[in-house]
């Protein structure tokens, strides 16, 4: 197993759990408790927060988006279920970017995004990957709970699970260092160059709920186990959240196939690859702070193959 993983030539941290027991826990670079920006893997945690409110009767997957954001084009036709499965038919106008140029507040970013959002009716019900869906879910979470997304995340995951190597990217430097955080690097012109902290921070704010958390492998494994096998969600809620249709088989922040769940994160000089069985007993987590053009796409199927061999 280690030979297969090392052959990927990923510089970072590796955690392999088999039947609830740690099989491998090592670093090809950095340390086993280094924290990395997990990017889109965070979507699974945001989706679970929404599902928890559905479970307690404070939301319904059939609620129209217009109930919360009537100014969004097509919001009367779009259900919360569409946002979670990324089948809402929403995107930003060509040339537009998520969030305002200079971060002011989560609310200001939401207003900016709403003004730039377009609705494509023929795409309603069809899968189209966009973090915009999950950013709007964050806004809905705040409306319903009266808490900021950050406070809700801390109260749900960081505090009760006693996560020591998890933090928001915009936390104070001392807090980030305590998590074992290291900056991301991108390969350019023959060498790895640090991603500018100002750029990474701005993108983290703009990707609220979809790319703003740094985490170590062990903290990530703990949260995924909590979502898939813990008491946070009922078995009925999990079934509703993760049932998915082709061609993407995506729902609730995971790509779901017959054998295991998949979540990938890439951006700001980081990779996070997560593979887990549905019962969270067997997991493969690989994180890196060094990225190269085209590498992310080529690594995903190779890691899927390793996960299949781990299960078999």
């Amino acid at each position: 197993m280690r030979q297969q993983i090392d052959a990927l030539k990923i510089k970072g941290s590796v955690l392999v759990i088999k039947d609830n027991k740690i099989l491998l826990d090592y670093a090809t670079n950095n340390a086993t408790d280094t924290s990395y920006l997990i990017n889109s893997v965070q979507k699974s945690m945001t989706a679970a927060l929404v599902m928890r409110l559905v479970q307690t009767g404070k939301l319904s997957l059939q609620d129209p988006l217009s109930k919360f954001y009537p100014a969004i084009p097509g919001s009367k036709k779009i259900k919360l279920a569409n946002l979670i499965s990324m089948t809402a038919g929403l995107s930003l106008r060509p040339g537009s970017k998520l969030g305002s140029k200079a971060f002011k507040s989560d609310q200001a970013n939401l207003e900016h995004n709403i003004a730039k959002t377009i609705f494509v009716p023929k795409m309603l019900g069809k899968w189209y990957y966009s973090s915009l869906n999950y950013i709007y879910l964050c806004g809905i979470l705040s409306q319903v709970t009266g808490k900021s997304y950050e406070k809700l995340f801390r109260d749900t995951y960081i505090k009760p699970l006693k996560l020591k190597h998890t933090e928001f990217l915009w936390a104070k430097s001392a807090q980030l260092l305590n998590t074992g955080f290291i900056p991301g690097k991108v390969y350019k012109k023959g060498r790895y160059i640090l991603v500018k902290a100002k750029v990474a921070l701005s993108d983290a704010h703009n990707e609220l709920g979809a790319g703003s958390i740094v985490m170590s492998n062990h903290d990530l494994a703990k949260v995924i186990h909590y979502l898939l096998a813990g008491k946070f969600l009922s078995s009925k809620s999990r079934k509703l959240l993760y049932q998915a249709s082709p061609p993407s088989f995506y729902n609730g922040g995971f790509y779901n196939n017959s054998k295991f769940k998949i979540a990938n994160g890439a951006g700001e000089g980081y990779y996070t690859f997560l593979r887990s069985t549905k019962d969270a007993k067997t997991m493969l987590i690989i994180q890196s702070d060094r990225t190269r053009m085209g590498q992310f796409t080529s690594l995903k199927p190779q890691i899927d193959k390793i996960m299949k061999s781990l299960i078999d």
Side-chain angles (χ1 to χ4, degrees):
M1 179 61 61
R2 179 159 183 167
Q3 288 175 339
Q4 290 181 65
I5 294 170
D6 289 351
L8 300 173
K9 297 181 179 180
I10 298 175
K11 298 296 183 182
S13 308
V14 177
L15 177 63
V16 181
I17 299 170
K18 174 76 171 177
D19 296 329
N20 287 328
K21 294 181 180 180
I22 294 176
L23 186 65
L24 289 171
D25 184 16
Y26 70 101
T28 56
N29 201 56
N30 309 318
T32 56
D33 60 357
T34 293
S35 66
Y36 306 81
L37 185 68
I38 64 171
N39 286 292
S40 290
V41 175
Q42 186 183 348
K43 290 183 174 80
S44 62
M45 301 162 202
T46 300
L49 288 171
V50 173
M51 200 64 214
R52 175 72 177 182
L53 293 181
V54 172
Q55 183 174 297
T56 54
K58 294 178 181 178
L59 280 176
S60 167
L61 292 177
Q62 298 307 308
D63 281 340
L65 180 55
S66 58
K67 181 177 179 179
F68 308 96
Y69 294 110
I72 295 176
S75 59
K76 290 183 179 180
K77 298 179 180 180
I78 298 166
K79 311 296 184 185
L80 295 195
N82 294 125
L83 295 175
I84 290 175
S85 62
M86 297 207 184
T87 58
L90 296 177
S91 65
L92 291 177
R93 290 178 191 164
S96 300
K97 293 183 179 180
L98 291 169
S100 51
K101 204 167 188 180
F103 177 75
K104 296 178 182 178
S105 66
D106 293 341
Q107 183 59 35
N109 270 0
L110 274 168
E111 291 171 4
H112 169 91
N113 292 334
I114 290 171
K116 302 292 183 180
T117 295
I118 59 173
F119 173 59
V120 184
K122 67 179 181 180
M123 291 302 294
L124 180 62
K126 296 180 181 179
W127 190 73
Y128 174 72
Y129 193 92
S130 171
S131 292
L132 188 63
N133 295 278
Y134 276 68
I135 291 167
Y136 286 144
L137 287 173
C138 287
I140 292 168
L141 285 168
S142 292
Q143 281 193 38
V144 175
T145 64
K147 296 180 181 180
S148 68
Y149 176 84
E150 180 176 345
K151 172 128 178 67
L152 191 58
F153 190 97
R154 290 186 184 280
D155 292 347
T156 304
Y157 299 120
I158 296 178
K159 292 178 182 178
L161 296 180
K162 298 179 180 179
L163 305 179
K164 302 298 183 184
H165 300 277
T166 299
E167 191 49 86
F168 281 82
L169 188 62
W170 52 76
K172 294 179 180 178
S173 297
Q175 291 174 290
L176 284 175
L177 287 173
N178 285 338
T179 69
F181 171 74
I182 54 172
K185 307 175 190 71
V186 176
Y187 190 80
K188 291 181 180 179
K189 298 180 180 179
R191 64 191 182 97
Y192 284 98
I193 300 173
L194 285 174
V195 174
K196 292 181 179 179
K198 186 178 180 180
V199 173
L201 187 60
S202 176
D203 288 346
H205 276 300
N206 294 343
E207 295 268 353
L208 183 68
S212 46
I213 285 288
V214 304
M215 246 181 195
S216 67
N217 284 351
H218 283 274
D219 277 10
L220 179 53
K222 187 181 288 188
V223 172
I224 296 303
H225 189 277
Y226 185 50
L227 299 185
L228 299 182
K231 296 181 179 180
F232 184 64
L233 295 176
S234 66
S235 57
K236 180 182 178 181
S237 292
R238 283 194 288 266
K239 186 176 180 180
L240 281 172
L241 183 59
Y242 303 127
Q243 62 183 2
S245 304
S248 67
F249 296 94
Y250 181 94
N251 209 5
F254 291 108
Y255 296 92
N256 300 274
N257 66 32
S258 60
K259 288 192 174 184
F260 54 90
K261 296 183 179 297
I262 298 168
N264 303 301
E268 315 310 327
Y270 300 94
Y271 291 145
T272 299
F273 301 101
L274 166 71
R275 307 291 183 268
S276 175
T277 50
K278 295 176 181 179
D279 56 11
K281 289 182 178 180
T282 297
M283 287 190 209
L284 168 61
I285 301 174
I286 303 174
Q287 297 205 78
S288 175
D289 64 322
R290 299 184 183 188
T291 64
R292 301 182 69 150
M293 182 73 73
Q295 188 181 34
F296 183 64
T297 302
S298 66
L299 284 171
K300 288 188 288 184
Q302 295 180 68
I303 293 171
D304 289 346
K305 188 176 180 180
I306 294 173
M307 182 63 179
K308 288 176 182 176
S309 67
L310 178 63
I311 294 172
D312 294 339

